[in-house]
C-alpha cells in the first residue's frame, strides 16, 4: 500500500506539472479545436485521477489494511 501511495504522489506531481505548464488547462487564444480537446482531456484526466486516488486512499486501502489485520489475527489464533 505504501508503494501505491507513492505512485499516487508521483501521478499527482505529474498532473500538477501539466496543470502548471498549460496555465490551468486553459488553451491559448486562437487555439484550434484539436488543441482545445487536448486540454479538455487533460482536465478530465486530472479529475478522474483525483477521484481514483481518493477512492483508493479513503476506501480501498483502509479496508485492505483492516482485512489484512483481521487475517493476521486469525492466523495467530488459529481461527478460520
Amino acid at each position: 500500500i505504501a508503494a501505491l501511495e507513492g505512485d499516487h504522489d508521483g501521478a499527482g506531481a505529474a498532473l500538477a506539472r501539466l496543470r502548471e505548464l498549460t496555465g490551468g488547462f486553459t488553451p491559448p487564444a486562437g487555439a484550434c479545436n484539436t488543441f482545445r480537446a487536448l486540454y479538455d482531456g487533460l482536465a478530465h484526466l486530472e479529475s478522474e485521477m483525483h477521484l481514483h486516488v481518493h477512492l483508493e486512499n479513503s476506501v480501498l486501502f483502509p479496508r485492505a489494511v483492516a482485512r489484512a489485520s483481521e487475517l493476521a489475527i486469525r492466523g495467530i489464533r488459529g481461527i478460520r
Side-chain angles (χ1 to χ4, degrees):
I1 289 177
L4 293 171
E5 289 174 335
D7 289 347
H8 289 170
D9 292 341
L15 287 168
R17 181 69 175 138
L18 277 173
R19 176 172 277 283
E20 178 186 331
L21 291 171
T22 62
F25 306 119
T26 303
C32 68
N33 288 338
T34 302
F35 202 96
R36 292 179 183 283
L38 170 65
Y39 274 36
D40 285 345
L42 290 172
H44 183 72
L45 172 67
E46 180 189 51
S47 175
E48 291 293 313
M49 187 62 156
H50 282 299
L51 177 60
H52 168 88
V53 168
H54 169 72
L55 289 173
E56 282 193 348
N57 288 350
S58 300
V59 179
L60 180 64
F61 294 166
R63 287 181 185 176
V65 169
R67 182 68 175 145
S69 296
E70 177 184 320
L71 292 173
I73 290 170
R74 286 181 178 185
I76 291 170
R77 294 182 182 163
I79 301 170
R80 291 183 187 238

